Amino acid sequence: MKPRVSVVVPSLDDRELLNRSLPPLLAECSHASVPTEVLVVDDTGGSELAAWLAAQHSRVQCLASPANQGFGAAALAGVERAGGELVFLMNPDVVVRDGFLEPLV
């Protein structure tokens, strides 16, 4: 099923921040009334974050940039790759609260 909401998180190897922000985000997405996807854009120019995400948060997709291009370029790459009709752009230091998604949809 095609996602209705894509959550795009640009990241510069922010594992500690993602370890705090992804669990509540994924919990919210798992009981959302619409299909969702979560996409982290790795703006480090490497593949280590993708491997870490696959091991720690397997529901999260990772888009690796070939080099550090900055927040704006990472955000745009994520939005272009997103499959959802709606996109929620989120910094990796944001920790969402229960119920945040429904009013936005």
Side-chain angles (χ1 to χ4, degrees), residues 21-32 59 96 98:
S21 65
L22 288 177
L25 174 63
L26 293 171
E28 181 71 12
C29 288
S30 71
H31 64 263
R59 182 169 183 253
V96 300
D98 288 343

Side-chain angles (χ1 to χ4, degrees), residues 8-102:
V8 174
V9 185
S11 172
L12 189 59
D13 197 22
D14 298 304
R15 293 180 207 194
E16 286 184 36
L17 295 174
L18 291 169
N19 230 11
R20 285 190 300 244
S21 65
L22 288 177
L25 174 63
L26 293 171
E28 181 71 12
C29 288
S30 71
H31 64 263
S33 65
V34 296
T36 61
E37 68 176 350
V38 176
L39 175 63
V40 171
V41 181
D42 179 6
D43 197 33
T44 61
S47 61
E48 293 176 14
L49 185 60
W52 178 81
L53 283 168
Q56 299 296 317
H57 303 283
S58 60
R59 182 169 183 253
V60 176
Q61 301 172 55
C62 186
L63 172 61
S65 297
N68 181 328
Q69 300 177 25
F71 179 84
L76 182 59
V79 169
E80 288 174 343
R81 171 83 175 274
E85 171 187 351
L86 303 170
V87 175
F88 178 72
L89 183 61
M90 184 177 113
N91 284 336
D93 62 343
V94 171
V95 178
V96 300
R97 295 183 180 173
D98 288 343
F100 92 96
L101 189 59
E102 291 302 320

